[in-house]
Amino acid sequence: MIKVGVVGGTGYTGVELLRLLVMHPQVSLEVVTSRAEQGMPVSSLYPNLRGHTDLCFVEPSLESLSQCDLVFFATPNGIAMQQVPDLLAAGVKVIDLAADFRLKDPAQWKQWYGMEHACHELLAEAVYGLPEVNREQIAAARLVANPGCYPTAVQLGLLPLLEAGVVDPRSLVADTKSGVSGAGRQAKIDALLCEASESFKAYGVSGHRHLPEIEQGLTAISRARGHTTAPELTFVPHLTPMIRGIHATLYASLTQEVEDLQALFEQRYRDEQFVDVMPAGSLPETRSVRGANLCRIALYRPQGRNRVVVLSVIDNLVKGAAGQAVQNMNIMFGLNEKSGLDMVALMP
Amino acid sequence: MIKVGVVGGTGYTGVELLRLLVMHPQVSLEVVTSRAEQGMPVSSLYPNLRGHTDLCFVEPSLESLSQCDLVFFATPNGIAMQQVPDLLAAGVKVIDLAADFRLKDPAQWKQWYGMEHACHELLAEAVYGLPEVNREQIAAARLVANPGCYPTAVQLGLLPLLEAGVVDPRSLVADTKSGVSGAGRQAKIDALLCEASESFKAYGVSGHRHLPEIEQGLTAISRARGHTTAPELTFVPHLTPMIRGIHATLYASLTQEVEDLQALFEQRYRDEQFVDVMPAGSLPETRSVRGANLCRIALYRPQGRNRVVVLSVIDNLVKGAAGQAVQNMNIMFGLNEKSGLDMVALMP
Amino acid sequence: MIKVGVVGGTGYTGVELLRLLVMHPQVSLEVVTSRAEQGMPVSSLYPNLRGHTDLCFVEPSLESLSQCDLVFFATPNGIAMQQVPDLLAAGVKVIDLAADFRLKDPAQWKQWYGMEHACHELLAEAVYGLPEVNREQIAAARLVANPGCYPTAVQLGLLPLLEAGVVDPRSLVADTKSGVSGAGRQAKIDALLCEASESFKAYGVSGHRHLPEIEQGLTAISRARGHTTAPELTFVPHLTPMIRGIHATLYASLTQEVEDLQALFEQRYRDEQFVDVMPAGSLPETRSVRGANLCRIALYRPQGRNRVVVLSVIDNLVKGAAGQAVQNMNIMFGLNEKSGLDMVALMP
Amino acid sequence: MIKVGVVGGTGYTGVELLRLLVMHPQVSLEVVTSRAEQGMPVSSLYPNLRGHTDLCFVEPSLESLSQCDLVFFATPNGIAMQQVPDLLAAGVKVIDLAADFRLKDPAQWKQWYGMEHACHELLAEAVYGLPEVNREQIAAARLVANPGCYPTAVQLGLLPLLEAGVVDPRSLVADTKSGVSGAGRQAKIDALLCEASESFKAYGVSGHRHLPEIEQGLTAISRARGHTTAPELTFVPHLTPMIRGIHATLYASLTQEVEDLQALFEQRYRDEQFVDVMPAGSLPETRSVRGANLCRIALYRPQGRNRVVVLSVIDNLVKGAAGQAVQNMNIMFGLNEKSGLDMVALMP
């Protein structure tokens, strides 16, 4: 049994992580921290956990956390980078579900997150936890930066095209739609039911923090195959009136004739258990992955013109956050990658 | 491994049953029938099952079904009663998720369901599958009538009061609210998103089929304790704009002083794994049982007056249908009652 | 043209009032106050008002408000009672959409609202603004206490029964369901889309502020007809996952045979333009009054037993708040009661 | 008063048209037809119209319709083209809200709508009813083809760019999202609340009927300014879980430096009452136009790169259908273009 701690278990990513961990057959959940809620039973805040855990929230402390084999950070940005060095020094592995270790360039981090990075030296060591790209490095990592939700859906949708070098890397458009849980469990007017339901809007059009993360990832993918032009993405996120789910609609211009796009994707993900390339003509729905650690993808080339359309859906809280974190844990600890992640999506 | 068949797997009850069965560690799903969809892979209709089953829908036939240990009927009312006698004769056990075997009186069945009952002789034998009331009979049964969704929520909420004989059995009111999945997966105008969302309405006020089922159950409960007045219920169901979930708000007039209502309920359900009497002052939310086989209950006595209010919530597709059916299966086959049913509700 | 001011125009009641006022043919909107948003154009906060008003929020001041013929308070409870005496003294009429002047007994007000009432002397003068009960007093009033949303739906549903004296006044149950806009435009976790959608729950079961208001109103109605037993109501409010709408399901036990309940209601509301007694067998939907100043009612007597069920629906922001306030204004200023209120509900 | 008839008043476009027409001060609604519902009061099907019209549905007949000055067709595609020639011959003007007269090329019509066009000769005469482009022709027209919902949002968003000739006409992408009312009031599984809520999906990716309509419109706009390259659009529609609203996110590559995109749009729509170019940095929400005849637009040029992003929102049933039809009527009959259309959007 892997002894696991969760720092910051009160948000939506936190509770989803707890849901997965209490059902995981090889995990022993040891400690869940929350400064604000310390002393309260976890199941008082999240009644779905009644009967599944007796833990109470405790104040975060190195002492309790360092008894764990692995600590997940489900904290706001800027918290993990304060505490990770001590935990690593104590021999504890870390998966950060926030953004602290996602960007490699501390200057870029400061620009997008508005604060100085607290441990530049770990940025190079941290492995970007997208298993479909970095599985081997994850297996050997002490510190994994769990990808953002949009970056997961967008990168998995575009990477076969970029690896194959068949699209113009400057033609990329990602029109993404997210359920409201992406905004977190915070008391904000914008996320009220009366503001966010029965309406649809774009946000962050002039610049969203996931843009540099995606472009960094796409550039790495592209360079690894020897392509020299840096990918450039127009990224427009939208809020859609539902709780869970991301739908990324991706556009790219072909630079050469591709015989069989469908086969290109199927081959790329043949051995991946959490990426499902659907049959040609499919229309993936976000609900088909609700609660499941899965990215479903479909491909189109409308009117036979030279623009490819990729549809990519995930549950933002699972493959876009907590599920991918558990997948990374499974890889880091040599478990079956599907362990604790083999659930069927809830539909309807 | 129990060999299991599902007749009529295309509705919401059917797909929820399939979700639970493919994840059940002691079940081998052998056959799923659908006249309309025969030949189609089950996972084409329900993409959440992609990767979890390779079965295709087949035409229902005694030959294929009689190789099963147990057959579930998730068919419209009036189908199971045609086929059950042959299956029982072939040594196959049956759980009917429709209404065919719920009412004991064939005349009453005809009155409410508008057709002659096809096998009067089995009505007496069939066991009403509410484990919290009839666990022993279920264990010994060949044929279980799985309760309706409203009847489950209402009976579990009222039975401690009726067993204790502390309320006037003619004072009962059940104001119930159901998500739209209760209407099934049928192309009906009323259940369109544009008709049913952003609105709330009552329906079936002059008489709903679950009324005789509930009154039959409450009467049995009451009589078993020697109470002679037959319970009389005012039952008003409502449609609430969400997919899953039933919230029953139950009212009853106390006929005597009860020292501790909370204790009365806690004691009654002390050994029940799928009924959660919440702490005093709780407000159960339907989402806290979404996807889980659980009834959560809370009690109030507003202003200290003599009217008790019971709040009782279930997921209509789980504890109100497919989950309770699996619970009954576990009991019938001597398995751990929680086997395959130990999942955490999906929240948010 | 009536010169009108609105104090506290940033909440949902406020914006709905502004929507109605800018379209009202006999109203000139002079001033909208908000301490928090002063200087901001009203249409920046509420883009639906772009092109309909150029007003900016201003700080509330007696000077600007006293130039109005009428001031509406759409403020939190406890604000209006501070400012109303000065306005009345300046000859300005007032309609308070908050609770400050709804209860007649200052001790009861303190008990339920947690603060000392600031102007006991006005409690007697204030007219409770339910036009279907108090039309004449409203016409003559300087100060109108606009009823709460639940109290409007519940009282209009019960009053024909109580006036006729045909039900047991101690048998009353009001099981009410409200859309989330009833919680106001405040950043509260409970009202987030991810908390309140796809779920249903009761709240305030042990005691809700609208209970004393309703019981006060029902008692007045009852006493006016010479009935001596004070009505006693079990009141259980619920939150339903939609924006607008209240559905009250009301239960009462008949104490005598009533020949024609339908006729009783139709006669009572024959001359009322904003109460629609629907044909027998109807099932009023909240969406049928969305955006409209209307209460629709239907009646049942299930199984011919002695319990009456009344279904009563309103839009909580219109007939339950802003629309009723405009109706009261029309009455106070001798306008056609329908002026500015003759819109068709938005459906679907 | 203009005497008006509506053919096919039972769908969502029909009821929205009726809502606008019964409130229009210069319209007398004479006849509403429905073969299926003849004899039924219109307000039985749509209770929001109770008290606003006493009309019953009648069978469509030339006799009754030819007494009107104007007939609206809110019928399925392929109906209007059968009846329009006779009505025009009888001196009745026609606005068709279906697709029968939108495409100029009968071969293209047959290709996309799967039937032979019944009156080729009227295709040339019919005026495409987008007032912001064709106001003068509409004023003189006998027959107006009311635009589709997506085509309205997309063309209004792109036309300033194409008229100015500043973008590559082959770079166009329209990623559009529609509420479910766009699918009409038909009993289809896909549009059930349980299928369409809490999920997001694309549809019609390989080819949607609005694509040729949009490309025809954009080509006309482009050619009128002397640009020779025919616009080519990648058009991906999506279904978003809400009732009303379309959000079009439009992408185009600049071919030249544009000093002030914002000013380009503001100038183009300066005199348009139903197009609102919002201030720079705005994020239009569909709810801000719910129930209103308005297109709101905002512009972005993310990261200063050469791709323009236009956000364009409408209510699909109003500016995307019934409201635009009333706007066209106002123009055809020389009324104030805002007559009957000056309502405030319902928000929240």
Side-chain angles (χ1 to χ4, degrees):
Chain A
M1 299 294 277
I2 306 168
K3 286 187 285 182
V4 161
V6 174
V7 180
T10 64
Y12 291 141
T13 298
V15 66
E16 186 67 359
L17 191 56
L18 294 176
R19 182 178 75 95
L20 297 174
L21 293 174
V22 298
M23 297 194 292
H24 196 294
Q26 289 136 313
V27 162
S28 165
L29 184 61
E30 300 286 319
V31 53
V32 183
T33 80
S34 162
R35 225 176 275 279
E37 309 293 355
Q38 62 172 299
M40 179 195 275
V42 169
S43 65
S44 292
L45 189 63
Y46 287 114
N48 60 331
L49 295 170
R50 279 175 63 87
H52 295 279
T53 179
D54 294 330
L55 289 177
C56 292
F57 292 109
V58 297
E59 199 174 6
S61 78
L62 183 60
E63 197 186 341
S64 59
L65 292 172
S66 61
Q67 296 168 2
C68 298
D69 301 311
L70 171 67
V71 168
F72 293 95
F73 281 84
T75 43
N77 299 320
I79 305 294
M81 67 185 184
Q82 312 289 346
Q83 304 179 16
V84 165
D86 286 349
L87 284 170
L88 293 181
V92 180
K93 294 184 179 184
V94 170
I95 297 176
D96 178 27
L97 286 86
D100 294 21
F101 298 98
R102 291 182 192 156
L103 298 182
K104 290 299 174 191
D105 176 357
Q108 199 181 38
W109 203 87
K110 186 176 176 187
Q111 175 195 340
W112 286 92
Y113 290 92
M115 42 186 152
E116 194 65 47
H117 201 282
C119 48
H120 293 202
E121 67 287 0
L122 286 175
L123 289 181
E125 178 185 343
V127 175
Y128 188 68
L130 194 60
E132 291 76 10
V133 175
N134 296 326
R135 184 168 283 109
E136 284 178 31
Q137 298 93 306
I138 294 165
R142 291 194 305 166
L143 170 58
V144 165
N146 213 54
C149 49
Y150 287 130
T152 297
V154 174
Q155 289 176 85
L156 291 177
L158 288 176
L159 76 84
L161 296 171
L162 288 169
E163 286 180 353
V166 295
V167 295
D168 175 357
R170 310 192 61 164
S171 71
L172 308 177
V173 172
D175 189 292
T176 60
K177 301 87 178 173
S178 175
V180 184
S181 62
R185 187 174 169 277
Q186 295 169 55
K188 290 182 296 192
I189 294 277
D190 273 11
L192 294 176
L193 182 141
C194 294
E195 302 288 312
S197 76
E198 280 300 303
S199 195
F200 190 95
K201 68 167 180 182
Y203 68 102
V205 185
S206 52
H208 184 284
R209 287 164 171 184
H210 284 172
L211 174 62
E213 180 184 340
I214 299 171
E215 289 194 340
Q216 171 186 280
L218 296 181
T219 301
I221 289 164
S222 214
R223 291 224 173 116
R225 299 301 172 106
H227 308 301
T228 50
T229 311
E232 217 174 83
L233 179 72
T234 301
F235 175 55
V236 181
H238 303 77
L239 203 62
T240 183
M242 61 190 193
I243 299 173
R244 287 168 179 246
I246 281 181
H247 188 291
T249 312
L250 308 167
Y251 303 86
S253 298
L254 287 170
T255 51
Q256 54 180 91
E257 208 37 66
V258 179
E259 212 177 317
D260 190 343
L261 275 171
Q262 180 75 19
L264 178 71
F265 274 71
E266 285 179 359
Q267 247 170 333
R268 175 58 180 83
Y269 290 124
R270 199 178 33 200
D271 299 327
E272 292 297 341
Q273 305 184 72
F274 298 113
V275 181
D276 175 22
V277 180
M278 300 186 78
S282 295
L283 294 163
E285 304 174 70
T286 59
R287 65 182 186 138
S288 78
V289 297
R290 178 164 50 215
N293 192 55
L294 208 53
C295 177
R296 296 201 204 267
I297 289 176
L299 306 164
Y300 285 87
R301 197 173 155 189
Q303 287 75 54
R305 294 172 182 170
N306 84 328
R307 192 172 276 119
V308 185
V309 177
V310 183
L311 313 176
S312 168
V313 304
I314 59 170
D315 182 328
N316 55 307
L317 296 179
V318 192
K319 183 62 177 166
Q324 187 144 269
V326 171
Q327 185 182 354
N328 281 321
M329 175 191 77
N330 287 345
I331 295 170
M332 290 164 83
F333 286 83
L335 308 179
N336 180 336
E337 200 166 322
K338 279 206 133 171
S339 192
L341 291 174
D342 200 24
M343 63 275 293
V344 181
L346 200 66
M347 186 174 162
Chain B
M1 300 292 277
I2 306 167
K3 286 187 285 182
V4 162
V6 174
V7 180
T10 63
Y12 292 142
T13 300
V15 65
E16 186 67 358
L17 192 56
L18 295 177
R19 182 178 76 94
L20 297 174
L21 292 175
V22 300
M23 295 193 296
H24 196 293
Q26 289 135 314
V27 162
S28 165
L29 183 62
E30 300 287 319
V31 52
V32 183
T33 80
S34 163
R35 228 177 272 280
E37 309 292 355
Q38 63 171 299
M40 180 196 272
V42 169
S43 65
S44 291
L45 189 63
Y46 286 114
N48 60 331
L49 294 171
R50 280 175 62 88
H52 295 278
T53 179
D54 294 330
L55 289 177
C56 293
F57 291 110
V58 297
E59 200 175 5
S61 78
L62 183 59
E63 198 188 338
S64 59
L65 292 171
S66 60
Q67 296 168 1
C68 298
D69 301 312
L70 172 67
V71 168
F72 293 96
F73 281 84
T75 42
N77 297 321
I79 305 293
M81 67 185 184
Q82 311 290 346
Q83 304 180 14
V84 164
D86 287 347
L87 285 170
L88 293 182
V92 181
K93 294 184 177 183
V94 170
I95 297 176
D96 178 27
L97 287 86
D100 295 20
F101 299 97
R102 291 181 192 157
L103 297 182
K104 290 298 175 192
D105 176 357
Q108 199 180 38
W109 203 86
K110 185 176 176 187
Q111 176 196 339
W112 287 92
Y113 291 91
M115 43 186 151
E116 194 64 47
H117 201 283
C119 47
H120 293 203
E121 68 286 1
L122 287 175
L123 289 180
E125 178 185 345
V127 175
Y128 187 68
L130 194 60
E132 291 76 10
V133 175
N134 297 326
R135 184 168 283 109
E136 284 177 30
Q137 298 93 308
I138 293 165
R142 289 194 307 164
L143 170 57
V144 165
N146 212 56
C149 49
Y150 287 129
T152 298
V154 174
Q155 289 176 84
L156 292 177
L158 289 177
L159 76 84
L161 296 171
L162 288 170
E163 286 179 353
V166 295
V167 295
D168 176 355
R170 309 192 62 164
S171 72
L172 308 177
V173 171
D175 189 292
T176 59
K177 301 88 178 172
S178 175
V180 184
S181 62
R185 187 174 169 275
Q186 295 169 55
K188 290 182 296 192
I189 294 278
D190 272 11
L192 294 176
L193 182 141
C194 293
E195 302 291 310
S197 77
E198 281 300 305
S199 195
F200 191 94
K201 67 168 181 181
Y203 68 101
V205 185
S206 52
H208 185 284
R209 290 167 170 181
H210 285 172
L211 173 63
E213 180 183 342
I214 298 171
E215 289 194 339
Q216 170 185 281
L218 296 182
T219 301
I221 289 163
S222 215
R223 292 223 173 118
R225 300 301 173 105
H227 309 300
T228 50
T229 311
E232 217 174 84
L233 180 72
T234 300
F235 175 54
V236 181
H238 303 76
L239 201 63
T240 183
M242 61 189 194
I243 299 174
R244 288 169 179 247
I246 280 180
H247 188 291
T249 314
L250 308 168
Y251 304 86
S253 298
L254 287 170
T255 50
Q256 56 181 89
E257 209 37 66
V258 179
E259 211 176 318
D260 191 343
L261 275 170
Q262 180 75 20
L264 179 71
F265 274 71
E266 285 179 358
Q267 248 169 332
R268 174 59 180 84
Y269 291 123
R270 199 179 32 201
D271 300 326
E272 292 298 338
Q273 305 184 74
F274 298 113
V275 180
D276 176 21
V277 180
M278 300 185 77
S282 295
L283 295 163
E285 305 175 70
T286 59
R287 65 182 186 138
S288 79
V289 296
R290 180 166 46 215
N293 192 56
L294 209 52
C295 177
R296 296 200 204 269
I297 288 176
L299 307 164
Y300 286 87
R301 196 172 155 190
Q303 286 76 55
R305 295 173 181 169
N306 83 329
R307 192 172 276 120
V308 185
V309 176
V310 183
L311 313 176
S312 168
V313 304
I314 58 169
D315 182 328
N316 54 308
L317 297 179
V318 191
K319 183 63 177 164
Q324 186 144 269
V326 171
Q327 185 181 353
N328 281 321
M329 176 191 76
N330 288 345
I331 296 170
M332 290 165 84
F333 287 82
L335 308 179
N336 181 337
E337 200 167 321
K338 279 205 135 172
S339 191
L341 291 174
D342 200 23
M343 65 274 293
V344 181
L346 199 67
M347 188 175 160
Chain C
M1 299 293 276
I2 306 167
K3 286 187 285 180
V4 161
V6 174
V7 179
T10 64
Y12 292 141
T13 299
V15 66
E16 186 67 358
L17 191 55
L18 294 176
R19 180 178 77 93
L20 298 174
L21 293 174
V22 299
M23 297 193 293
H24 195 293
Q26 289 136 313
V27 161
S28 165
L29 184 61
E30 300 286 319
V31 53
V32 184
T33 80
S34 163
R35 227 176 273 280
E37 309 293 355
Q38 63 172 295
M40 180 196 274
V42 169
S43 64
S44 292
L45 189 63
Y46 286 114
N48 60 332
L49 295 171
R50 280 175 63 87
H52 295 278
T53 179
D54 294 330
L55 288 177
C56 293
F57 292 109
V58 298
E59 199 173 7
S61 77
L62 183 59
E63 198 188 338
S64 58
L65 292 172
S66 61
Q67 297 168 3
C68 298
D69 301 311
L70 172 67
V71 168
F72 292 96
F73 281 84
T75 43
N77 298 321
I79 305 294
M81 66 185 184
Q82 311 290 346
Q83 306 180 13
V84 164
D86 286 348
L87 284 170
L88 293 181
V92 180
K93 295 185 178 184
V94 170
I95 298 177
D96 178 27
L97 287 85
D100 295 20
F101 298 97
R102 291 181 193 158
L103 297 182
K104 291 298 174 192
D105 176 357
Q108 199 181 39
W109 203 87
K110 186 177 177 186
Q111 176 196 339
W112 286 93
Y113 291 91
M115 43 186 152
E116 195 64 49
H117 201 282
C119 47
H120 294 202
E121 68 287 2
L122 286 175
L123 289 180
E125 177 185 344
V127 175
Y128 187 68
L130 193 60
E132 291 76 10
V133 176
N134 296 326
R135 184 169 283 109
E136 285 178 29
Q137 298 92 309
I138 294 165
R142 289 194 307 165
L143 169 58
V144 166
N146 213 56
C149 49
Y150 287 130
T152 297
V154 173
Q155 289 176 85
L156 292 177
L158 289 176
L159 75 84
L161 297 171
L162 288 169
E163 287 179 354
V166 296
V167 295
D168 176 356
R170 308 193 62 164
S171 71
L172 308 176
V173 172
D175 189 291
T176 58
K177 302 87 178 172
S178 174
V180 184
S181 62
R185 186 174 169 276
Q186 296 169 55
K188 291 182 296 192
I189 294 278
D190 273 10
L192 295 177
L193 182 141
C194 294
E195 302 290 310
S197 76
E198 281 300 304
S199 196
F200 191 95
K201 67 168 180 182
Y203 68 101
V205 185
S206 52
H208 185 284
R209 289 166 170 182
H210 286 171
L211 174 63
E213 180 183 339
I214 299 171
E215 289 194 339
Q216 170 185 281
L218 296 181
T219 301
I221 289 164
S222 215
R223 291 223 173 117
R225 299 300 174 107
H227 308 302
T228 51
T229 311
E232 216 174 84
L233 179 72
T234 300
F235 175 55
V236 180
H238 303 78
L239 202 62
T240 183
M242 60 189 194
I243 299 174
R244 288 170 180 245
I246 280 181
H247 188 290
T249 313
L250 308 168
Y251 303 86
S253 298
L254 288 170
T255 51
Q256 56 181 88
E257 209 37 65
V258 179
E259 211 178 317
D260 191 342
L261 275 170
Q262 180 75 19
L264 178 71
F265 275 71
E266 286 179 358
Q267 248 171 331
R268 175 59 181 83
Y269 291 124
R270 198 178 31 199
D271 299 327
E272 292 297 340
Q273 306 185 72
F274 298 113
V275 181
D276 175 22
V277 180
M278 300 185 77
S282 295
L283 295 163
E285 305 174 69
T286 59
R287 64 181 186 140
S288 79
V289 297
R290 179 165 49 214
N293 191 56
L294 208 52
C295 177
R296 296 200 203 269
I297 289 176
L299 306 165
Y300 286 87
R301 196 172 155 191
Q303 287 76 54
R305 293 173 183 170
N306 84 329
R307 192 172 275 120
V308 184
V309 177
V310 183
L311 313 176
S312 167
V313 304
I314 59 170
D315 181 328
N316 55 307
L317 296 179
V318 191
K319 184 62 177 165
Q324 187 145 268
V326 171
Q327 185 182 354
N328 281 321
M329 175 191 78
N330 288 344
I331 296 169
M332 291 165 83
F333 286 83
L335 308 179
N336 180 337
E337 201 167 322
K338 279 206 134 171
S339 192
L341 291 174
D342 199 23
M343 63 274 293
V344 181
L346 200 67
M347 186 174 162
Chain D
M1 300 293 275
I2 305 168
K3 286 187 283 180
V4 161
V6 174
V7 179
T10 64
Y12 291 141
T13 299
V15 65
E16 187 68 359
L17 191 56
L18 295 177
R19 182 178 76 94
L20 297 174
L21 293 174
V22 300
M23 296 193 294
H24 195 295
Q26 289 136 314
V27 162
S28 165
L29 184 61
E30 300 287 319
V31 52
V32 183
T33 81
S34 164
R35 226 176 273 281
E37 310 292 355
Q38 62 172 300
M40 179 195 275
V42 169
S43 65
S44 292
L45 189 64
Y46 286 114
N48 61 330
L49 295 172
R50 279 174 63 86
H52 294 279
T53 179
D54 294 328
L55 289 177
C56 293
F57 291 109
V58 297
E59 199 175 7
S61 77
L62 183 59
E63 198 186 339
S64 60
L65 293 171
S66 60
Q67 295 167 3
C68 298
D69 301 311
L70 171 67
V71 168
F72 293 95
F73 281 85
T75 42
N77 298 321
I79 304 294
M81 66 186 184
Q82 311 290 345
Q83 305 179 15
V84 165
D86 286 348
L87 285 170
L88 293 182
V92 180
K93 294 184 179 185
V94 170
I95 298 176
D96 178 27
L97 287 86
D100 294 20
F101 298 97
R102 290 180 192 157
L103 298 182
K104 290 298 176 191
D105 176 357
Q108 199 182 37
W109 203 87
K110 186 177 176 187
Q111 176 195 339
W112 286 92
Y113 291 91
M115 42 185 152
E116 193 66 47
H117 201 282
C119 47
H120 293 204
E121 68 287 1
L122 287 175
L123 290 180
E125 178 185 344
V127 175
Y128 188 68
L130 194 60
E132 291 77 10
V133 175
N134 297 324
R135 184 169 282 110
E136 285 179 29
Q137 297 94 309
I138 293 165
R142 292 194 305 165
L143 170 58
V144 165
N146 213 54
C149 50
Y150 288 130
T152 298
V154 173
Q155 289 176 85
L156 292 177
L158 288 176
L159 76 84
L161 296 171
L162 288 169
E163 286 178 354
V166 296
V167 294
D168 175 357
R170 309 193 61 166
S171 72
L172 308 177
V173 172
D175 190 292
T176 59
K177 300 88 178 172
S178 175
V180 184
S181 62
R185 188 174 168 276
Q186 296 169 56
K188 289 182 296 191
I189 294 278
D190 273 11
L192 294 176
L193 182 141
C194 294
E195 302 290 310
S197 77
E198 281 300 304
S199 195
F200 191 95
K201 68 168 179 181
Y203 69 100
V205 185
S206 52
H208 185 285
R209 288 165 170 183
H210 285 171
L211 174 62
E213 180 183 341
I214 299 171
E215 288 195 340
Q216 170 185 283
L218 296 181
T219 301
I221 289 163
S222 215
R223 290 223 174 117
R225 299 301 172 106
H227 308 301
T228 51
T229 311
E232 215 174 84
L233 179 72
T234 300
F235 175 55
V236 181
H238 302 76
L239 202 62
T240 183
M242 60 189 195
I243 299 174
R244 289 168 179 247
I246 280 181
H247 188 292
T249 314
L250 308 167
Y251 303 86
S253 298
L254 288 169
T255 50
Q256 55 182 89
E257 208 37 65
V258 179
E259 213 176 316
D260 190 343
L261 274 172
Q262 180 75 19
L264 179 71
F265 274 71
E266 286 179 358
Q267 249 171 332
R268 174 57 180 85
Y269 290 124
R270 199 179 31 200
D271 300 327
E272 293 297 340
Q273 304 184 74
F274 298 113
V275 180
D276 175 20
V277 180
M278 301 185 76
S282 295
L283 294 163
E285 304 175 70
T286 59
R287 66 181 184 137
S288 79
V289 297
R290 180 165 47 217
N293 191 55
L294 208 52
C295 177
R296 296 202 204 266
I297 289 176
L299 307 164
Y300 286 87
R301 195 171 156 191
Q303 286 76 54
R305 294 173 182 170
N306 84 329
R307 191 172 277 119
V308 185
V309 177
V310 184
L311 313 177
S312 167
V313 303
I314 59 170
D315 182 327
N316 54 307
L317 297 179
V318 192
K319 183 62 178 166
Q324 187 144 269
V326 171
Q327 186 182 353
N328 281 321
M329 176 191 76
N330 288 345
I331 295 170
M332 289 165 84
F333 286 82
L335 309 178
N336 181 337
E337 200 166 323
K338 280 205 134 171
S339 192
L341 291 175
D342 200 23
M343 65 274 293
V344 181
L346 199 68
M347 186 175 162

